[in-house]
């Protein structure tokens, strides 16, 4: 039996949310970039759409294709879907969210990630909750800070070094902890 990819499920769920919006209204769509990701030279873009007076759904994408010197790399691609409930009104003030990250990665020789002297190539998917706050800067611009915690299932293949060798083993991990951190610069339409 064929297994459905988590990315397909996320995309279909968000497409259903976006098409269920009855009518586009002023300030019901926003585009954003995560400045923390930008600082790591990871191109990223997010789109958030209002679903109701206090609810939004967003889809964020990030890609880091770069290699560092001496075989080190933190290459990855991620897609995160999130539904949010705003306590004041959408795109303003405090919010709680539920997010579903999906990522592909190829990480080599990064000590703080536990891959010193080896390479891990694989994927991950999970779910989490988030809290954030959005500050209105002007009619169209916002600044938003958000953090999230949750669960990730990570499956990777381990190789002996960054650029060589045969697969040593398959690794499956269950991760609980921080799953999201962002300082977003937002433009609202």
């Amino acid at each position: 039996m064929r297994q459905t990819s988590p990315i397909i499920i996320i995309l279909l769920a968000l497409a259903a949310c976006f098409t269920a919006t009855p009518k586009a209204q002023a300030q019901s769509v926003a585009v954003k970039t995560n400045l923390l990701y930008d600082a790591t030279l990871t191109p990223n873009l997010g789109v958030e759409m209002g679903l109701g007076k206090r609810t939004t759904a967003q889809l964020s994408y990030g890609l880091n294709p770069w290699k560092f010197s001496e075989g080190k790399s933190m290459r990855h691609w991620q897609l995160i879907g999130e539904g949010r409930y705003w306590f004041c009104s959408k795109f303003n003030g405090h919010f709680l969210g539920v997010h579903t990250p999906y990522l592909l990665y190829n990480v080599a020789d990064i000590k703080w990630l536990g891959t010193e002297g080896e390479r891990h190539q694989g994927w991950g998917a999970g779910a989490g909750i988030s809290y954030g706050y959005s500050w209105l800067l002007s009619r169209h611009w916002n600044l938003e800070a958000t953090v999230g915690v949750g669960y990730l299932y990570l499956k990777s293949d381990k190789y002996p070094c960054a650029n060589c060798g045969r697969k040593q083993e398959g690794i499956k991990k269950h991760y609980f902890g921080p799953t999201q951190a962002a300082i977003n610069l937002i433009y609202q339409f």
Side-chain angles (χ1 to χ4, degrees):
M1 181 151 97
R2 188 169 173 217
Q3 193 174 30
T4 305
S5 169
I7 190 99
I8 300 293
I9 294 169
I10 292 169
L11 289 174
L12 289 175
L14 285 171
C17 289
F18 288 156
T19 57
T21 302
K23 180 173 144 181
Q25 301 171 5
Q27 296 188 339
S28 65
V29 176
V31 293
K32 57 179 69 180
T33 185
N34 182 344
L35 300 176
L36 298 178
Y37 244 34
D38 290 337
T40 65
L41 302 178
T42 302
N44 68 93
L45 181 66
V47 177
E48 188 169 6
M49 180 175 239
L51 302 176
K53 289 183 180 182
R54 295 185 180 188
T55 56
T56 59
Q58 80 167 9
L59 186 62
S60 299
Y61 168 83
L63 170 69
N64 186 326
W66 320 116
K67 285 185 180 180
F68 304 121
S69 61
E70 302 170 10
K72 297 178 187 293
S73 75
M74 277 186 46
R75 294 193 281 174
H76 65 277
W77 171 89
Q78 79 167 10
L79 190 66
I80 300 176
E82 183 172 17
R84 292 180 170 176
Y85 175 80
W86 297 80
F87 292 102
C88 184
S89 61
K90 63 187 173 212
F91 303 113
N92 181 22
H94 300 274
F95 65 85
L96 291 176
V98 176
H99 59 272
T100 56
Y102 179 79
L103 63 127
L104 301 173
Y105 59 93
N106 189 345
V107 178
D109 204 21
I110 306 292
K111 185 176 183 176
W112 62 272
L113 289 176
T115 63
E116 189 172 26
E118 59 194 39
R119 178 171 66 93
H120 292 255
Q121 182 174 339
W123 64 275
I129 56 172
S130 58
Y131 165 78
Y133 190 88
S134 184
W135 294 270
L136 300 174
L137 301 177
S138 70
R139 181 175 175 214
H140 292 285
W141 291 96
N142 284 23
L143 187 66
E144 172 186 283
T146 182
V147 293
V149 295
Y151 165 79
L152 283 174
Y153 173 77
L154 302 166
K155 184 176 181 183
S156 66
D157 294 327
K158 178 181 168 183
Y159 297 88
C161 61
N163 298 315
C164 62
R166 292 184 179 205
K167 175 180 155 182
Q168 289 181 324
E169 65 180 304
I171 298 172
K172 297 177 183 177
K173 287 187 178 181
H174 299 277
Y175 167 82
F176 293 92
T179 52
Q180 183 177 3
I183 297 174
N184 292 313
L185 182 62
I186 301 167
Y187 183 83
Q188 296 179 35
F189 293 95

